């Protein structure tokens, strides 16, 4: 297309109002009306625009995932998204409306260059251009690039957050540091979604459509906790430290899981810093205390689904603990433990071998019952850490304020109530069988045999449908009465989150 043709298109575009709801006084002006109008200041050249965009991309580099997509898009000679025959699309004003409030959620407005966009829009709409300090092709390039960059940054950060928790928390605790290299403990397996090319392409497809505002609104976080945290951030009474703590938790609310708690009617959430569990079924909430992993054996952050309850389960003692029981025959007998050998089967405690346990040839197993460390019931779900929710043989621990005491599993204060919560139809007969089995004492014998009603006894219960489970880390979280309470950062996750989050917040 000739430079003159671009000039005619631009004139038509610039005299079209781009503000939503404004009447266009020039709507009846035709291209022919400008056929004799010549002004070198207003010659539009797409090659010049693309060259200016390339210069800006080289100067900017990339700091967010969406920036990579912007570079790929404009490096591929794709159509302009905001410059059209109808002018600078009205979607630019829609985007600016959202950017005007971005600081209310703690995000740094400088990430979006809104002031520059507003100034350039005004320049284009008033034709306040020249060939030296305000060349039209440079201004249009700046608008096109900044609008796309800011738009994708905004929708990406609001929908996915800035940080990837798996990258953030899985390089904190060392597992080993030997000749094979440094290895890290996995502390997080949230499997969060991140902005990818498909997401960015869908977002760009909404530009210059009536649905862009609806699309953006649908991407914004909507969880109850998120709303409470944003209100807390803006109440004007927070110290600098309290503000940063709140911002860390707002960021966590943005992390996008395959299933989000607020998208499910029924789910279980365990929050580590508050040592609490919330079992939510619509408007009903069952709350209880929990014990979590100690600082050296942290409970991992994860999302999964509760699938089965085992009543009076056996405990296969983890290798790291089992080796300490070798030779403690009296203790093992008193706690109902035995040795399971892969070749020889069940053996008495005195047959425990340190070398065979470390090599995985033997296991130490604790029988189910009141002395079992897992307590009377365990709630199983798929995960990569061999952790579960379960009862405990040490219920007095729930009276302590500091309850980071386990080897990674979550001990629940009211296991029977949680078991009833899991039942889809609240079957009273099944609930009674669970209660009966949890009360059995294998040491209570009559005539040399345990007194057990086999018709009432139940070993396991399938959870159907499965119930979503979330193990989270919020240091500002629900307290009594549903109000927000600040909790200790027991694993130090706020510190590393704040360090990585600072470039993106105000």
């Amino acid at each position: 297309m000739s430079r003159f043709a671009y000039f005619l298109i631009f004139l038509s575009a610039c005299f079209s109002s781009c503000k939503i709801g404004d009447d266009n006084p020039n709507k009846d002006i035709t291209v022919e009306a400008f056929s004799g109008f010549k002004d070198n200041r207003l010659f539009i050249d797409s090659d010049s625009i693309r060259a200016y965009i390339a210069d800006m991309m080289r100067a900017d580099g990339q700091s967010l995932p969406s920036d990579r997509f912007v570079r790929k898009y404009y490096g591929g000679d794709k159509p302009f998204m905001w410059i059209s025959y109808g002018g600078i699309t009205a979607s630019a004003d829609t985007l600016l409306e959202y950017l005007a409030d971005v600081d209310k959620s703690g995000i740094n407005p400088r990430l979006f260059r809104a002031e520059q966009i507003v100034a350039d829009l005004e320049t284009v709409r008033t034709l306040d251009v020249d060939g030296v300090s305000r060349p039209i092709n440079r201004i249009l390039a700046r608008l096109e690039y900044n609008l796309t960059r800011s738009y994708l940054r905004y929708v990406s950060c609001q929908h996915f957050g800035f940080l990837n928790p798996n990258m953030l928390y899985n390089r904190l605790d060392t597992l080993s540091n030997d000749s094979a290299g440094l290895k890290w403990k996995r502390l997080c397996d949230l499997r969060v979604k991140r902005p990818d090319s498909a997401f960015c392409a869908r977002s760009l497809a909404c530009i210059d459509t009536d649905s862009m505002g609806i699309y953006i609104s649908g991407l914004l976080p909507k969880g109850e906790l998120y709303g409470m945290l944003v209100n807390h951030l803006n109440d004007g009474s927070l110290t600098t430290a309290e503000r940063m703590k709140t911002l860390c938790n707002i960021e966590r609310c943005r992390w996008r899981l395959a299933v989000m708690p607020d998208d499910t009617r029924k789910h279980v959430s365990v929050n580590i810093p508050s040592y609490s569990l919330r079992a939510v079924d619509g408007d009903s909430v069952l709350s209880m205390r929990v014990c979590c992993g100690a600082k050296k054996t942290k409970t991992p952050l994860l999302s999964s689904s509760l699938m089965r309850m085992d009543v009076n389960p056996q405990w296969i003692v983890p290798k790291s603990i089992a080796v300490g029981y070798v030779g403690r025959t009296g203790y093992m007998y008193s706690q109902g433990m035995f040795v399971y050998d892969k070749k020889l089967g069940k053996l008495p405690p005195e047959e425990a071998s340190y070398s065979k346990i470390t090599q995985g040839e033997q296991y130490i197993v604790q029988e189910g019952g009141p002395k079992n460390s897992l307590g009377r019931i365990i709630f199983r779900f798929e995960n990569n850490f061999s952790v579960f929710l379960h009862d405990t043989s040490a219920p007095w621990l729930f009276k302590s304020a500091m309850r980071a005491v386990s080897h990674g599993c979550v001990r629940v204060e009211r296991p029977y109530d949680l078991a009833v919560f899991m039942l889809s139809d609240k079957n009273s007969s099944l609930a009674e069988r669970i209660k009966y089995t949890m009360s059995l004492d294998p040491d209570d014998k009559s005539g040399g045999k345990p007194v057990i009603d086999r018709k009432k006894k139940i070993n396991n219960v399938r959870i159907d449908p499965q119930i979503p489970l979330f193990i989270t880390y919020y240091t500002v979280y629900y307290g009594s009465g549903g109000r927000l309470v600040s909790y200790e950062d027991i694993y130090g996750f706020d510190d590393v989150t704040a360090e990585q989050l600072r470039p993106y917040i105000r």
Side-chain angles (χ1 to χ4, degrees):
M1 184 179 290
S2 69
R3 295 178 66 201
F4 183 68
Y6 276 114
F7 154 65
L8 292 178
I9 293 168
F10 174 68
L11 284 179
S12 167
C14 287
F15 282 100
S16 298
S17 174
C18 295
K19 294 185 179 179
I20 300 174
D22 285 357
D23 291 330
N24 183 2
N26 305 305
K27 63 183 179 181
D28 296 324
I29 296 178
T30 64
V31 172
E32 288 74 16
F34 299 99
S35 59
F37 187 87
K38 295 183 179 180
D39 189 334
N40 290 332
R41 296 174 308 153
L42 303 178
F43 281 155
I44 311 303
D45 179 56
S46 65
D47 291 336
S48 295
I49 293 175
R50 294 187 186 281
Y52 281 127
I53 290 176
D55 289 341
M56 286 186 287
M57 289 194 298
R58 281 192 292 270
D60 277 345
Q62 59 187 49
S63 59
L64 290 173
S66 60
D67 296 345
R68 188 182 309 113
F69 183 85
V70 174
R71 294 175 65 85
K72 182 179 179 180
Y73 182 87
Y74 286 113
D77 201 31
K78 296 289 182 64
F80 297 137
M81 299 303 306
W82 307 85
I83 304 171
S84 72
Y85 288 94
I88 303 298
T89 174
S91 295
D93 297 282
T94 302
L95 175 60
L96 288 171
E97 289 178 9
Y98 281 97
L99 296 184
D101 292 330
V102 73
D103 61 332
K104 292 182 180 178
S105 56
I107 300 174
N108 192 334
R110 289 196 297 268
L111 293 172
F112 308 102
R113 299 175 177 170
E115 291 184 1
Q116 181 70 67
I117 292 172
V118 170
D120 285 342
L121 281 175
E122 181 67 15
T123 298
V124 168
R125 287 167 175 167
T126 60
L127 298 181
D128 185 19
V129 298
D130 59 38
V132 182
S133 62
R134 296 184 301 281
I136 188 61
N137 290 309
R138 179 184 296 169
I139 293 171
L140 287 177
R142 199 159 58 205
L143 273 172
E144 174 70 23
Y145 173 68
N146 282 341
L147 282 166
T148 301
R149 178 177 179 270
S150 298
Y151 171 59
L152 290 182
R153 280 188 164 198
Y154 180 79
V155 295
S156 296
C157 75
Q158 290 285 29
H159 195 58
F160 301 102
F162 291 100
L163 310 178
N164 183 336
N166 297 321
M167 300 291 291
L168 195 63
Y169 300 138
N170 283 335
R171 296 180 66 86
L172 296 180
D173 291 3
T174 56
L175 182 62
S176 64
N177 189 4
D178 51 29
S179 58
L182 184 61
K183 296 181 180 179
W184 304 91
K185 291 181 182 178
R186 292 189 65 195
L187 303 177
C188 181
D189 188 20
L190 286 176
R191 304 178 190 178
V192 295
K193 297 180 181 180
R194 300 295 295 155
D196 56 13
S197 296
F199 171 81
C200 292
R202 286 196 304 272
S203 299
L204 290 188
C206 290
I207 296 175
D208 202 21
T209 68
D210 293 336
S211 63
M212 179 177 164
I214 298 173
Y215 175 75
I216 294 177
S217 178
L219 297 177
L220 301 180
K222 294 181 175 62
E224 177 187 40
L225 180 60
Y226 174 82
M228 294 173 68
L229 287 168
V230 170
N231 290 337
H232 183 59
L233 181 73
N234 292 283
D235 69 7
S237 64
L238 302 185
T239 65
T240 300
E242 290 169 340
R243 180 178 176 78
M244 178 56 77
K245 189 171 189 174
T246 305
L247 288 168
C248 288
N249 288 281
I250 288 175
E251 168 67 10
R252 292 176 181 125
C253 286
R254 293 192 182 103
W255 294 340
R256 181 64 44 178
L257 307 176
V259 176
M260 298 293 286
D262 289 283
D263 294 336
T264 63
R265 175 179 175 82
K266 189 171 184 177
H267 66 268
V268 174
S269 292
V270 172
N271 188 53
I272 296 169
S274 60
Y275 304 117
S276 64
L277 178 149
R278 285 166 49 91
V280 178
D281 188 357
D283 295 330
S284 174
V285 180
L286 170 66
S287 300
M288 66 186 70
R289 296 183 175 191
V290 300
C291 296
C292 298
K295 293 181 181 180
K296 290 185 178 181
T297 53
K298 297 178 177 66
T299 295
L301 309 186
L302 57 83
S303 60
S304 187
S305 293
L306 293 151
M307 53 191 295
R308 194 178 81 240
M309 300 180 278
D310 293 340
V311 190
N312 285 331
Q314 288 186 337
W315 179 40
I316 300 176
V317 183
K319 188 185 300 183
S320 59
I321 302 173
V323 292
Y325 291 158
V326 176
R328 299 176 61 187
T329 305
Y331 176 80
M332 290 176 65
Y333 272 114
S334 70
Q335 297 300 309
M337 295 180 178
F338 64 88
V339 176
Y340 178 80
D341 189 288
K342 285 186 174 181
K343 293 181 179 180
L344 303 175
K346 186 175 180 179
L347 300 173
E350 53 266 25
E351 296 295 326
S353 165
Y354 185 94
S355 62
K356 289 185 177 181
I357 289 174
T358 56
Q359 293 169 17
E361 298 175 8
Q362 283 186 353
Y363 301 95
I364 292 179
V365 181
Q366 186 179 33
E367 296 279 12
K371 296 179 181 179
N372 192 286
S373 295
L374 300 179
R376 293 307 196 115
I377 190 168
I378 186 170
F379 304 88
R380 298 191 182 277
F381 51 92
E382 291 185 354
N383 67 94
N384 295 317
F385 304 93
S386 297
V387 298
F388 309 98
L389 310 186
H390 62 78
D391 184 19
T392 178
S393 58
W396 56 86
L397 291 173
F398 295 111
K399 296 180 181 180
S400 174
M402 203 291 292
R403 298 191 292 278
V405 294
S406 79
H407 285 84
C409 285
V410 177
R411 306 174 188 178
V412 299
E413 181 185 28
R414 298 163 58 188
Y416 175 71
D417 291 341
L418 186 59
V420 173
F421 171 86
M422 300 292 175
L423 303 179
S424 59
D425 57 0
K426 299 299 181 283
N427 186 310
S428 59
S429 176
L430 181 55
E432 186 59 34
R433 292 181 68 189
I434 293 172
K435 187 174 185 178
Y436 169 78
T437 308
M438 289 177 65
S439 67
L440 289 178
D441 186 350
D443 293 329
D444 180 15
K445 298 178 180 179
S446 175
K449 295 182 179 180
V451 180
I452 298 175
D453 186 340
R454 298 293 177 182
K455 293 182 179 180
K456 288 185 178 181
K457 186 174 180 292
I458 190 167
N459 293 323
N460 52 69
V461 179
R462 182 183 177 191
I463 300 174
D464 186 21
Q466 296 183 5
I467 297 174
L469 168 70
F470 308 93
I471 300 182
T472 64
Y473 194 92
Y474 290 102
T475 52
V476 182
Y477 193 66
Y478 300 109
S480 60
R483 62 187 179 87
L484 288 182
V485 175
S486 178
Y487 297 97
E488 181 187 356
D489 180 20
I490 56 176
Y491 291 168
F493 284 1
D494 274 2
D495 292 338
V496 66
T497 304
E499 180 181 354
Q500 297 298 317
L501 194 59
R502 280 191 176 89
Y504 311 115
I505 59 176
R506 66 170 178 85

